[in-house]
Amino acid sequence: MSSPEGLDGIGGGELPHKERPMLDDAVKRRSLAHHGGDEAIETREPDRMSESAGQAGFVGGANGAPSKGRGVRRFAVLFGGVLLLLFLIGLVPRFFNQISLRRAVVASEKIPVSVILPEKPKPESDLLLPGTARGYYETPIWARVNGYIKNWWVDIGERVQEGQLMAEIDAPDIDKSVEAYEGSLHQAEANLVIARITLDRWKGLILTRAVSQQALDEKQAMYDAALARVNAARGQLQHYEELQSFKKIIAPFSGIVTARNIDIGTLVSLGSDKAVHELYRVSVNDLMRVYVAVPQNYVPQIQLGTWADVTASELPGVIYHGLVVRTAQAVDPLSRTLLTEVDVGNPDGKIVVNMYVDVIFHLPTASTLLLVPVNAVVYRSDGTFLITVDKHSRVHYRKVELGHDLGNQMEIASGLRPDEKVILNPPESLEEGEEVLVASDLSKSKPRSERAETGEGKKHHASR
């Protein structure tokens, strides 16, 4: 094969044997370039690689060109795959972010609400009401005569026994009246004796007809009048003697003296008018009567013979057990309350008369009642409602009948099912059937109900 023109004289003679294959390759590439074939483009890069390989000392560079081309294609494919992977890594988060944004836009059009399931009340509920402790027997002692306090022997806080002398009144008017009626009685008795003697004589004379029957009848009438005057004088004397006995103030029953309004020399007056002060006040305090005003809506639940707990803030940790013994059976028209009496034992005397106490009634609860937070109740002109949410997050209005207001919770007597979720603090714009977003379901994390204050940790007093 003849050398191309212009290449024969390079170097001034023939080429060395090692450089001749390189020259042949160059001639082939040039001829292919003149023909414009695709093979020139394909072999250009391998020829360069073989040329560089020949310069590095490899023998037979023309035979290694196809394997180098395959390596380049593999590299290109790998590089393209990496680029595609990086593109997908950047595209997928954007796709999901767009989905989340679209959902957020849809959700923002719904009103977020919080819901809760209604609770069932305990079988027995406690009703705490204030009460006043009074002595089982309690009475003021008034003066029955006018006079001055001569002496007194008992003071407040002292225990007295029935019939014990507490004080004495000096009543000179009564004493003088007793003396006067004693004299009148003696005079009447003397006249009665004369009248009886005269009558006996005239009865003897009538037998001899010395006197007429008319005269005898007159003597009989005189005797009867004298006898009547004796009886009248004796009655008046007994009356003043009874008044005289009231000069001594006697304890009507055993108890504690809770008031003393007298001293030696104090002027006391007859009667119990407002202007007249009582002398003493005595109370029985080993058994107390606690009076409670029960609101009208709890009246049907108050049952006679049931136990009630009595506590006082001044006696922490102590519970007295009382018994509901009677009610007034009439509601006060002014306060709309029922006066209820609870009898409680007080053997240690720690509950004092007129003490303010708390009474806890244990009332039975209806099985149909439900409890909801007070901020879930909607008051309208056409009734009371609760707004519920179904499983499709749609709003429904439930007209309900309320029970007792327990402070943080409201009793629902009817109109609500136990499995219906109630919206808390419902906005006024909610309409029937509107779809809402349940932002929080508080029924899934209900706190444990607090134990009653009358439960554990309090000392029970054995007063039953």
Side-chain angles (χ1 to χ4, degrees), residues 290-294 302 304 324 326-328 338-342 361:
V290 178
Y291 292 99
V292 186
V294 178
I302 299 298
L304 300 183
V324 180
R326 62 182 58 87
T327 65
L338 175 70
L339 184 62
T340 303
E341 179 185 333
V342 178
F361 295 94

Side-chain angles (χ1 to χ4, degrees), residues 201-273:
R201 285 177 180 173
W202 283 82
K203 285 181 179 180
L205 293 175
I206 197 64
L207 296 176
T208 61
R209 297 188 180 274
V211 295
S212 64
Q213 184 64 39
Q214 178 66 30
L216 178 61
D217 292 340
E218 290 178 358
K219 299 301 179 181
Q220 181 66 46
M222 292 177 60
Y223 172 79
D224 293 338
L227 180 61
R229 286 192 291 270
V230 169
N231 292 332
R234 183 178 293 112
Q236 289 179 337
L237 178 61
Q238 291 175 350
H239 169 69
Y240 279 94
E241 286 177 345
E242 289 291 336
L243 291 179
Q244 194 177 38
S245 66
F246 287 126
K247 295 194 303 180
K248 296 182 178 180
I249 307 302
I250 305 299
F253 49 79
S254 300
I256 295 292
V257 178
T258 59
R260 177 182 63 84
N261 298 314
I262 58 173
D263 209 336
I264 296 178
T266 301
L267 175 64
V268 294
S269 301
L270 170 66
S272 57
D273 296 336

Side-chain angles (χ1 to χ4, degrees), residues 163-175:
Q164 179 179 342
L165 179 62
M166 303 174 64
E168 187 175 359
I169 301 174
D170 185 10
D173 295 342
I174 300 297
D175 296 337

Side-chain angles (χ1 to χ4, degrees), residues 30 43 60 105 139 157 171 184 193 197 202 215 218 232 268 282 290 301 338 343 360 403 416 451 454:
R30 189 170 183 178
T43 58
V105 171
T139 182
S184 298
V193 172
I197 292 173
W202 283 82
E218 290 178 358
V268 294
V282 180
V290 178
Q301 297 174 269
L338 175 70
D343 290 352
I360 303 172
L416 182 68
R451 291 177 295 181
T454 59

